[in-house]
Amino acid sequence: MSTVRGARERARIEVTAAIKGEAKKQLGAEGAAKLSLRAVARELGMASSALYRYFPSRDELLTALIVDAYDAVGETAEAAHRAAVDEAAPHLARWTAVARAVRDWALAHPHEYALIYGSPVPGYTAPQATIGPASRVGLVLIAVVGDAYRTDGLAVPPLAAELRAEAGRMVAEFAPGLPPGVAVPLIAAWSQMFGLISFEIFGQFNRVVEAREVFFREAVTELARTVGLLGPRGS
């Protein structure tokens, strides 16, 4: 790589980071629906035409921010899982470590959390490029349950007859190797975990739950029971 080409690529990386940084500020101040390329360019002292060379449309900038946010929370979940595995933590502790790490990230980055788990942005349709990053937290939870199934076994809950075909499809698509009976409670637990976090981030727990960290820990422990990581109480 030539020196000139290397300098240009570094400059492009720096400008791209500056654009994303300013866009994140706008997310915090105005929300995703009001994100404006012209406003970003104005704050950075750039001509709009120059910014369009980096992000040709608002939707492309939104997609970049969404992918970054999903990757950030995904990396957080994966790091928590690796640390718990390295410590030889029980599978329940791995589950709660991942859940608490995701909650901590959300509390530290509420505007980015709102971008990916809040209200849809009017007029924006997420492209295929967001699917992989969006799957990372779910895949970590699947890995925890899969490891438990292969080593200690799971207290697999009964599966309603009406859901057998759907559960079989879910396992084949998302969690090969797991019994179909785990699929439904696992998807439900994943969605409920984010529901708990969203209620906290968006204020629905105000004047309802005060000891929120303890409440969350106990709630995600109960979710672990539903996927079979723990036997019935008292077992």
Side-chain angles (χ1 to χ4, degrees):
M1 181 185 296
S2 70
T3 302
V4 172
R5 183 181 174 188
R8 286 175 178 170
E9 291 189 359
R10 287 194 300 273
R12 184 172 184 85
I13 290 169
E14 290 172 2
V15 174
T16 299
I19 293 170
K20 289 180 179 180
E22 180 56 36
K24 288 178 183 179
K25 291 180 183 178
Q26 285 195 21
L27 290 180
E30 302 288 345
K34 293 185 178 180
L35 181 64
S36 163
L37 290 183
R38 290 183 180 277
V40 171
R42 182 173 58 250
E43 291 299 320
L44 292 175
M46 296 175 65
S48 297
S49 57
L51 190 146
Y52 291 143
R53 290 200 292 270
Y54 294 85
F55 296 100
S57 69
R58 181 209 68 160
D59 284 5
E60 291 200 26
L61 178 54
L62 266 177
T63 295
L65 296 175
I66 287 168
V67 167
D68 284 353
Y70 275 132
D71 278 337
V73 69
E75 288 167 8
T76 298
E78 291 160 2
H81 183 223
R82 285 194 301 271
V85 170
D86 289 345
E87 294 170 3
H91 294 103
L92 172 62
R94 299 179 192 183
W95 173 278
T96 56
V98 170
R100 292 170 74 179
V102 171
R103 173 181 176 268
D104 288 345
W105 181 89
L107 291 172
H109 304 88
H111 303 303
E112 291 167 71
Y113 181 89
L115 177 64
I116 53 178
Y117 293 111
S119 299
V121 180
Y124 174 79
T125 300
Q128 190 80 12
T130 62
I131 293 177
S135 303
R136 292 175 69 169
V137 172
L139 290 174
V140 174
L141 296 176
I142 290 170
V144 173
V145 175
D147 288 345
Y149 177 65
R150 288 185 291 271
T151 56
D152 301 333
L154 296 170
V156 180
L159 179 63
E162 300 89 339
L163 281 172
R164 285 174 186 162
E166 177 69 355
R169 181 196 65 79
M170 288 177 175
V171 163
E173 189 168 346
F174 306 121
L178 284 177
V182 174
V184 173
L186 179 54
I187 298 289
W190 163 69
S191 62
Q192 289 173 64
M193 181 189 80
F194 279 107
L196 289 164
I197 295 170
S198 293
F199 262 48
E200 183 171 1
I201 294 293
F202 301 133
Q204 281 90 347
F205 280 157
N206 291 348
R207 299 189 178 184
V208 178
V209 179
E210 297 298 332
R212 293 173 189 169
E213 184 172 356
V214 176
F215 178 85
F216 182 80
R217 184 187 67 219
E218 293 303 307
V220 295
T221 298
E222 288 302 308
L223 293 178
R225 291 182 186 277
T226 69
V227 299
L229 286 179
L230 291 175
R233 292 177 182 82
S235 66

